[in-house]
Amino acid sequence: MENNKKVVTLAYGCQMSERDAETLTEITRRLGYLPSDDLETADLVIVNTCCVRESAENKILGKIGELKKLKERNSNVKIAITGCMVQQPDALERLQKRAPHVDMWSGTHNLHDFSALLQRVEQGEKVAEVWQEPKTILEVTPLAEKGKLQANVNIMYGCNNFCSYCIVPHVRGRERSRKPEEILQEIETLVNNGCREVTLLGQNVNSYGKEFSPAYDFADLLQQVDQIAFLIRVRFITSHPKDLSDKLIETVANGEKLCEHFHLPIQSGSNFILECMNRKYTREYYLSRVQKIRELIPNASLTTDIIVGFPGESEKDFEQTLAMMNQAHYSQAFTFMYSKRSGTLAAKMEDQIPLDVKKRRLQKLMSVQNQESLEWRQNMIGKLVEVLVEGPSKTNPQRLSGRTRGNELVVFNGNLETIGSLVNVRINEAGSWTLIGKVE
Ligand code: 5AD
Ligand code: SF4
């Protein structure tokens, strides 16, 4: 169609948010919108938001402000703000006041209703709809763009854990697992469209299927996904340490396509802080899980999330977090300053940590982890690793890049024809963020 409308979808935050943004793009595509990157010529701009930390919210508020100027230049453009930030209790009214130029507000639970809302917006109406509870398990399964090598697949929605700092259970609702048949069907469709790697997404994939009868858990699902023909790799995030079963570790150890990578957020190395965070494990338990992984899968790579400056965190608590880095040997850690989220338990805790202390701790933690990550990469020098070739390297388009099974980024000289397939690369250098190697 020549006179298609154009949609620009911007996603902030985690892979769930990215996945939701893809769903929205697909819903609009079915209504005749072509996906585009160019704001200036867009007919519709969708911003799928995140509210996990204040810094994310500030960035998004800045973008919404920029869109006001866009609307001044082009009064025909429609602006839709969706997702977690809008879903926060009491957020909608505040946001509406702040950004009257926005045409549509919608939360996380009515994502699949987007087309009905959009049609009203197209008639010139301003709409705002946030449901307090999810009414269905979303079964919007967009067909993958042809030729897309990797895809994220939701296996469940929501979270029951209520870690005391976290807004996610407040904006994503309780855990709901999708049926295995639906997930397997979605992955098969993706694979038929050229996808070779899937990442199974859930706030806590380890509690997948808890409500199912007869019993069927995440390890069972992984075993079935592992059987899908032409799929090359299967990844999954996130694993809550308290629910990481031996069965799951064994399944990954025995799997063919199941990548030996565990994202196992520790959040803190102090038992006192872990308890205040309501994480439901101790550092000792966590380390016993790490040991089990290392025992069954010696080459597994482990990544984590850590928060510094949680209310009440003393220097001693922080030192225990630092010590953890040298015990768990993460290949990578995502580190954050605690951010107060209104509506969560931790927001009301006394002894909030001053910003300068949080900053200092974050710097220290990052420098310790950078050293650890570098050592991890240096240990790979000389090894032959299996790389799924993704395409030209972003930093050096003369070279190709791809990832190991452990999710480490590798840059190498290679043949464009290998994109989308596996090559063996001998690692000969550890760069500051990547591995550098040669195809064998
Ligand atoms: N402040 C800082 N970091 C947070 N995270 C979640 N909530 C907060 C918060 N209030 C981090 C956790 C989680 C990751 C996705 O974001 O480390 O694992
Ligand atoms: Fe947030 Fe904890 Fe749930 Fe993860 S497990 S989404 S950190 S409440």
Side-chain angles (χ1 to χ4, degrees), residues 10 53 101 166 178 186 203 231 295 308 366 438:
L10 308 172
R53 280 171 292 276
H101 57 286
C166 188
R178 290 179 65 201
E186 178 174 350
Q203 305 296 347
L231 185 62
E295 199 181 293
V308 297
M366 283 166 73
K438 211 169 162 212

Side-chain angles (χ1 to χ4, degrees), residues 6 49 70 73 77-78 107 159 192 196 204-205 223 260 263-264 274 277 295 364 388 392-393 410 417 419 421 427 435:
K6 296 200 184 76
T49 60
L70 180 74
R73 290 195 294 278
V77 65
K78 303 290 183 202
C159 179
N192 286 339
R196 293 294 171 261
N204 176 14
V205 291
Q223 284 167 22
E260 296 80 6
H263 183 61
L264 207 58
L274 285 171
M277 287 176 160
E295 199 181 293
K364 176 73 189 163
L388 178 61
S393 156
V410 186
E417 277 158 27
I419 292 173
S421 57
I427 302 300
L435 294 163

Side-chain angles (χ1 to χ4, degrees), residues 39-145:
L39 283 173
E40 293 305 320
T41 56
D43 298 281
L44 171 66
V45 181
I46 305 171
V47 183
N48 198 50
T49 60
C50 166
C51 59
V52 78
R53 280 171 292 276
E54 196 184 351
S55 52
E57 283 200 303
N58 288 342
K59 223 190 294 167
I60 296 162
L61 289 172
K63 182 52 87 181
I64 297 176
E66 276 175 40
L67 293 176
K68 184 173 184 190
K69 294 190 196 107
L70 180 74
K71 188 111 179 170
E72 282 162 7
R73 290 195 294 278
N74 169 13
S75 61
N76 291 328
V77 65
K78 303 290 183 202
I79 298 172
I81 313 290
T82 56
C84 288
M85 203 166 147
V86 185
Q87 187 71 43
Q88 285 178 103
D90 311 322
L92 181 61
E93 212 173 304
R94 187 166 37 89
L95 287 166
Q96 277 176 312
K97 261 194 205 134
R98 189 177 170 134
H101 57 286
V102 168
D103 300 282
M104 185 211 296
W105 299 95
S106 73
T108 52
H109 297 318
N110 56 335
L111 187 82
H112 57 306
D113 221 23
F114 190 85
S115 61
L117 294 184
L118 181 58
Q119 279 160 344
R120 283 165 55 194
V121 166
E122 284 174 339
Q123 308 294 315
E125 219 183 305
K126 289 220 173 209
V127 297
E129 214 165 293
V130 176
W131 297 356
Q132 291 319 308
E133 300 285 334
K135 291 187 191 158
T136 54
I137 295 189
L138 291 183
E139 283 304 348
V140 197
T141 51
L143 296 173
E145 279 171 50

Side-chain angles (χ1 to χ4, degrees), residues 18 77 102 129 161 167 178 232 288 329 361 393 397:
E18 266 170 43
V77 65
V102 168
E129 214 165 293
N161 290 303
I167 193 73
R178 290 179 65 201
I232 297 181
S288 75
H329 300 299
R361 289 183 187 163
S393 156

Side-chain angles (χ1 to χ4, degrees), residues 52-53 165-167 265 267 305-307 336-341:
V52 78
R53 280 171 292 276
Y165 50 82
C166 188
I167 193 73
Q267 311 298 1
D305 292 344
I306 298 178
I307 298 175
F336 310 104
M337 283 191 279
Y338 167 72
S339 168
K340 197 171 169 175
R341 303 286 69 206

Side-chain angles (χ1 to χ4, degrees), residues 174-242:
R174 298 295 68 73
E175 277 172 7
R176 285 99 65 206
S177 299
R178 290 179 65 201
K179 291 196 194 92
E181 316 77 272
E182 308 273 2
I183 297 167
L184 294 167
Q185 176 66 52
E186 178 174 350
I187 299 174
E188 270 162 23
T189 310
L190 286 162
V191 170
N192 286 339
N193 279 332
C195 171
R196 293 294 171 261
E197 176 176 307
V198 290
T199 302
L200 308 181
L201 299 181
Q203 305 296 347
N204 176 14
V205 291
N206 296 338
S207 61
Y208 173 78
K210 280 223 164 120
E211 64 275 38
F212 289 167
S213 159
Y216 183 95
D217 64 14
F218 181 54
D220 297 323
L221 178 68
L222 276 181
Q223 284 167 22
Q224 278 197 278
V225 177
D226 198 19
Q227 305 297 316
I228 295 177
F230 303 111
L231 185 62
I232 297 181
R233 281 177 173 179
V234 183
R235 301 186 183 281
F236 54 91
I237 47 173
T238 291
S239 288
H240 194 306
K242 78 177 164 67

